[in-house]
Amino acid sequence: DLKAFERRLTEYIHCLQPATGRWRMLLIVVSVCTATGAWNWLIDPETQKVSFFTSLWNHPFFTISCITLIGLFFAGIHKRVVAPSIIAARCRTVLAEYNMSCDDTGKLILKPRPHVQ
């Protein structure tokens, strides 16, 4: 039973890796776009002279990328990026009851039995 559980856990974590990689790439791209847009927004001399909403209107790249980044976080991208580690941590919590643990790939780690004297 342990081998079947380990095989299923490693399979599940392995299947999450491609999707996690895509979500990480999307988060990196949107974060870089937001940072680049913010830099251009901040160094623009007109930003200080006009109102906040006018300056955002003048910099649509920053505005759109910032809204996209906020939308991604509200959609739960932070959970999707770390999904395999969340599953492994929850499995470690449950397996601790049975003197076992698992690594980040889902491989079981058998701990020695505590000696009661």
Side-chain angles (χ1 to χ4, degrees):
D1 288 339
L2 284 177
K3 286 294 183 189
F5 175 74
E6 180 182 48
R7 194 172 25 246
R8 181 66 179 126
L9 183 60
T10 55
E11 176 186 324
Y12 186 72
I13 290 176
H14 180 71
C15 288
L16 285 176
Q17 294 298 337
T20 301
R22 287 190 294 270
W23 284 113
R24 284 181 183 156
M25 286 304 288
L26 178 65
L27 182 61
I28 289 169
V29 168
V30 173
S31 296
V32 168
C33 288
T34 302
T36 304
W39 177 255
N40 290 332
W41 181 57
L42 291 172
I43 64 169
D44 185 12
E46 291 295 316
T47 301
Q48 298 174 358
K49 299 175 185 173
V50 295
S51 71
F52 176 71
F53 291 110
T54 306
S55 69
L56 288 178
W57 185 260
N58 291 339
H59 297 277
F61 180 73
F62 169 67
T63 306
I64 292 170
S65 61
C66 190
I67 290 171
T68 303
L69 185 64
I70 292 169
L72 286 173
F73 274 102
F74 277 126
I77 193 169
H78 56 289
K79 291 179 184 174
R80 290 182 175 110
V81 165
V82 294
S85 60
I86 290 172
I87 291 169
R90 289 180 181 170
C91 285
R92 280 187 208 105
T93 303
V94 172
L95 290 171
E97 298 284 325
Y98 303 101
N99 283 340
M100 290 188 282
S101 186
C102 67
D103 60 7
D104 289 334
T105 62
K107 298 283 185 188
L108 289 180
I109 301 168
L110 301 175
K111 296 180 180 179
R113 293 182 185 214
H115 296 287
V116 179
Q117 294 181 8

